[in-house]
Amino acid sequence: MFAILVDAVLPIFAVAGFGYIAGKRGLFDYAMAAALNRFVLMFALPALGFRLLSTIPFETFNWFMLLCYFVAEILVYGLGFVVARFIFSCGIREAILLGFAAAFSNHFLFVLPIAQALFGDAGVGPIVAIVALDTLVGFGITLGLMDMLSLAQPSIKGVLAKLVKNPPIIALFA
């Protein structure tokens, strides 16, 4: 059990901890953090997602369990939105992001690497299914809502035009 903690879990959380410490010590200012976040969102995550999804056999997914997970995730998303909007009086955009953050536990950056360390690539099919669904539906809906709220003249065509240019969405479909 200790070996699992040290070999699989600790390295993932150590990276996050070092990032937090670097931020607190001023090693990264806001502009540097924004640039790093942009790089990760535009290049690193799409590349990882493409590699991951191109090698996983979709026919092995348990679609019923995936649907059950997704329904629970949508309920958490909605509840997070409602709590943020009506209890904490957040604006609509902030409430959408907080609802998404509540539902989107970080499978891609935390759970997936830990599962890969423990079970290898062959054992991460269910997590990959969740990542695919989250990226396509959860992330897509959130981006669509945020884009719709940012457009002067919201339209389905305008939102779709923005979504088809989004690197994580492109990588998922590729």
Side-chain angles (χ1 to χ4, degrees):
M1 183 70 164
F2 185 72
I4 291 172
L5 177 67
V6 171
D7 294 339
V9 178
L10 190 60
I12 303 303
F13 285 93
V15 170
F18 289 140
Y20 177 79
I21 291 168
K24 281 295 194 186
R25 296 190 137 229
L27 297 173
F28 292 102
D29 62 11
Y30 182 80
M32 292 169 71
L36 186 57
N37 281 335
R38 181 173 286 274
F39 170 79
V40 168
L41 182 64
M42 301 297 254
F43 297 103
L45 287 179
L48 176 62
F50 177 78
R51 185 193 77 71
L52 184 67
L53 292 173
S54 66
T55 61
I56 296 297
F58 284 93
E59 64 275 2
T60 64
F61 288 179
N62 183 332
W63 293 102
F64 177 73
M65 288 186 67
L66 187 60
L67 177 66
C68 291
Y69 176 86
F70 185 66
V71 168
E73 191 173 49
I74 291 296
L75 291 172
V76 171
Y77 192 125
L79 183 61
F81 172 83
V82 168
V83 168
R85 181 81 174 121
F86 299 108
I87 294 178
F88 294 110
S89 302
C90 296
I92 291 176
R93 291 178 66 150
E94 185 178 9
I96 289 169
L97 291 175
L98 289 170
F100 180 67
F104 190 76
S105 62
N106 211 332
H107 319 74
F108 207 46
L109 299 176
F110 288 102
V111 176
L112 183 59
I114 292 169
Q116 283 177 317
L118 293 175
F119 308 116
D121 284 340
V124 296
I127 296 166
V128 171
I130 290 169
V131 167
L133 189 64
D134 279 346
T135 303
L136 180 60
V137 181
F139 194 61
I141 288 171
T142 300
L143 286 175
L145 290 171
M146 298 303 284
D147 286 343
M148 190 176 298
L149 292 170
S150 70
L151 291 173
Q153 295 288 327
S155 70
I156 298 296
K157 184 179 176 183
V159 170
L160 289 175
K162 284 187 161 198
L163 285 177
V164 298
K165 296 176 187 173
N166 185 284
I169 302 294
I170 292 168
L172 182 67
F173 279 109

